[in-house]
Amino acid sequence: MSKSKVGINRILNFGAGPGKIPVAVLAEVRNEFLNFENTGMSITEISHRSSEYSKINNEAQNAVKQLLSVPDNYKILFLPGGGQGMFSAIAMNLMNRTGSADYVVAGIWSGLAAKEAAKYGTVNPVFPKPGKLGDIPDSKSWTLNPNASYLYYCDNETIEGIEFPFIPETRGSVPIVVDMASNIMTRKFDVSKFGLIFAPVQKNLGTAGVVLAIIRDDLLGTPMKICPSVLNFTELANTNSILNTPPIFQVYVTGKILQWINIQGGLKEMEKQCCQKSQLLYNAINQSNNFYECHVPENFRSRINVSFKIGGGNDNLEEKFVQEAEEHRIYQLRGHRLVGGIRVSLYNAVSYEDTETLVQFMKNFQAKYQNSIERHL
């Protein structure tokens, strides 16, 4: 592979998170790292109380608002703690409303969120645990509580590769809380349908260490007494996410990536590319005569994280796939340790050409091993 603009021989990175960052963004960060905007300081050294950081913070919030058409009655926050921290923060900030919440447990991440929330109130799973991947019952059959504090679901289960093709409905005025960690900024959606949207940024929006949250004003003001200030949505909203020393570098990188998305053509272009990349990969899987198998039903297949098995789940063959891919400088394809197999993450910074290179490798790998192993069908 040729050297990139950042002067490094870049590999193809299909990691699930931290995910690939656009090279143009990395180059700009590099150029500003030692002397940010002629301050004589690195971006990692400036004060969070400075006018320079205030500008970074406000510009990132405004970019989110513009890209997602966020209504005026929502606050845009940057929080510490990552996704798992948010599992607790959501319950501590919102469960107090009625003492219970509905949870759509469709995969590992939503299951962990429900387990954490159960420490702070009553959690109602709206349907039994699915017997297999993507086996999600019709939403009309869900057991919903009209007095729930909120309905929680994960829009894209990163580990299994399950993405919801619809926004769940609730009863009465129950607000929807959604985890969009891995598919935020890959398509336009109606923010007003949600009470709270959150996404750790290290997949589509930056580097690990900060969570983007978009919360409706009427959901502020009822945190539990045990909720720490650093996870208190109301206190963070009142201080414009600068209650304590914020993760300045992470917010800075997120702002750069939001600018990059705008330059590329905004969410309309991101969605177009997302669909093209995932369709190319799923076509390769579907046309492989079951050499590659995706067990998620087609209507719930993720556009972002594509999980599949090789040779009916042949561990040795899957290890060969990962090793030989790395020999071709294609990295981070091993599936999550809880489900195994192969996982390909197609975040916004992953190009169509990157995906074409992977698909060609997959075809060559199949041709090499199709007839030399006993497939487990």
Side-chain angles (χ1 to χ4, degrees):
M1 295 173 65
S2 61
K3 289 188 177 181
S4 72
K5 294 179 181 178
V6 294
I8 300 172
N9 192 14
R10 301 273 292 169
I11 55 91
L12 296 187
N13 179 5
F14 293 96
K20 181 180 179 182
I21 293 176
V23 170
V25 171
L26 292 174
E28 190 169 354
V29 170
R30 179 193 62 181
N31 292 340
E32 294 181 343
F33 191 78
L34 293 180
N35 185 13
F36 174 69
E37 293 192 349
N38 295 317
T39 59
M41 294 182 288
S42 168
I43 182 64
T44 61
E45 297 173 306
I46 68 170
S47 169
H48 60 291
R49 304 295 182 190
S50 67
S51 60
E52 288 83 7
Y53 180 66
S54 179
K55 180 182 177 184
I56 290 169
N57 189 57
N58 291 337
E59 286 182 349
Q61 290 173 336
N62 289 336
V64 171
K65 186 169 186 177
Q66 177 191 356
L67 283 165
L68 292 176
S69 301
V70 179
D72 290 338
N73 62 324
Y74 284 75
K75 295 292 188 296
I76 297 170
L77 308 177
F78 295 114
L79 296 94
Q84 300 224 26
M86 285 296 292
F87 296 163
S88 301
I90 287 164
M92 287 190 287
N93 279 273
L94 304 181
M95 187 80 80
N96 222 19
R97 291 155 50 85
T98 69
S100 66
D102 287 347
Y103 272 71
V104 180
V105 180
I108 290 170
W109 284 120
S110 52
L112 289 172
K115 181 179 179 180
E116 191 68 21
K119 298 176 182 178
Y120 306 101
T122 301
V123 166
N124 169 45
V126 300
F127 55 75
K129 182 179 179 180
K132 57 183 179 180
L133 284 178
D135 187 14
I136 299 170
D138 189 296
S139 59
K140 293 178 181 178
S141 69
W142 295 1
T143 304
L144 298 172
N145 178 7
N147 295 314
S149 296
Y150 56 89
L151 170 73
Y152 179 105
Y153 81 107
C154 180
D155 200 47
N156 186 78
E157 293 279 1
T158 316
I159 293 174
E160 298 94 339
I162 300 168
E163 187 173 21
F164 273 77
F166 61 88
I167 298 173
E169 295 184 1
T170 60
R171 292 184 181 175
S173 58
V174 175
I176 298 175
V177 173
V178 62
D179 174 353
M180 288 191 174
S182 47
N183 64 352
I184 191 80
M185 299 298 174
T186 64
R187 65 166 185 258
K188 200 84 170 179
F189 61 90
D190 186 353
V191 171
S192 69
K193 291 185 178 295
F194 301 94
L196 170 65
I197 301 157
F198 77 94
V201 303
Q202 68 269 14
K203 301 176 187 297
N204 268 310
L205 280 177
T207 186
V210 67
V211 177
L212 166 66
I214 305 169
I215 184 167
R216 205 171 62 214
D217 288 346
D218 64 292
L219 297 182
L220 298 170
T222 59
M224 295 179 178
K225 290 182 179 180
I226 62 171
C227 182
S229 295
V230 74
L231 296 178
N232 186 314
F233 299 157
T234 304
E235 292 194 42
L236 287 162
N238 289 339
T239 57
N240 201 26
S241 299
I242 314 178
L243 174 68
N244 64 329
T245 307
I248 293 173
F249 181 73
Q250 284 80 359
V251 176
Y252 161 79
V253 174
T254 293
K256 294 290 185 187
I257 292 178
L258 291 166
Q259 292 173 15
W260 176 84
I261 290 172
N262 261 322
I263 292 170
Q264 300 308 304
L267 295 189
K268 183 177 181 180
E269 182 62 24
M270 293 299 100
E271 181 171 12
K272 174 185 172 183
Q273 292 183 21
C274 183
C275 292
Q276 289 175 339
K277 291 181 292 188
S278 59
Q279 191 60 56
L280 178 66
L281 183 51
Y282 279 121
N283 283 345
I285 294 169
N286 293 340
Q287 295 166 11
S288 71
N289 194 31
N290 293 325
F291 184 82
Y292 302 112
E293 295 176 284
C294 176
H295 296 290
V296 178
E298 287 197 20
N299 59 323
F300 281 98
R301 287 184 179 178
S302 173
R303 301 164 303 125
I304 316 300
N305 307 102
V306 180
S307 293
F308 58 92
K309 301 286 187 178
I310 303 178
N314 185 300
D315 292 340
N316 291 332
L317 194 59
E318 288 170 352
E319 188 60 30
K320 283 181 182 290
F321 182 89
V322 172
Q323 291 175 355
E324 294 190 16
E326 291 181 358
E327 291 170 5
H328 288 78
R329 299 186 60 75
I330 305 172
Y331 279 78
Q332 301 209 69
L333 294 174
R334 186 175 280 106
H336 192 277
R337 59 185 173 79
L338 295 179
V339 298
I342 305 298
R343 176 171 54 170
V344 180
S345 295
L346 302 174
Y347 299 132
N348 285 340
V350 175
S351 69
Y352 185 82
E353 291 72 25
D354 292 345
T355 314
E356 281 185 313
T357 300
L358 172 62
V359 166
Q360 186 57 57
F361 168 77
M362 290 171 62
K363 291 178 179 178
N364 294 342
F365 186 85
Q366 180 179 356
K368 182 177 180 180
Y369 291 103
Q370 177 95 54
N371 298 319
S372 63
I373 64 153
E374 179 183 352
R375 289 175 26 211
H376 301 169
L377 298 176

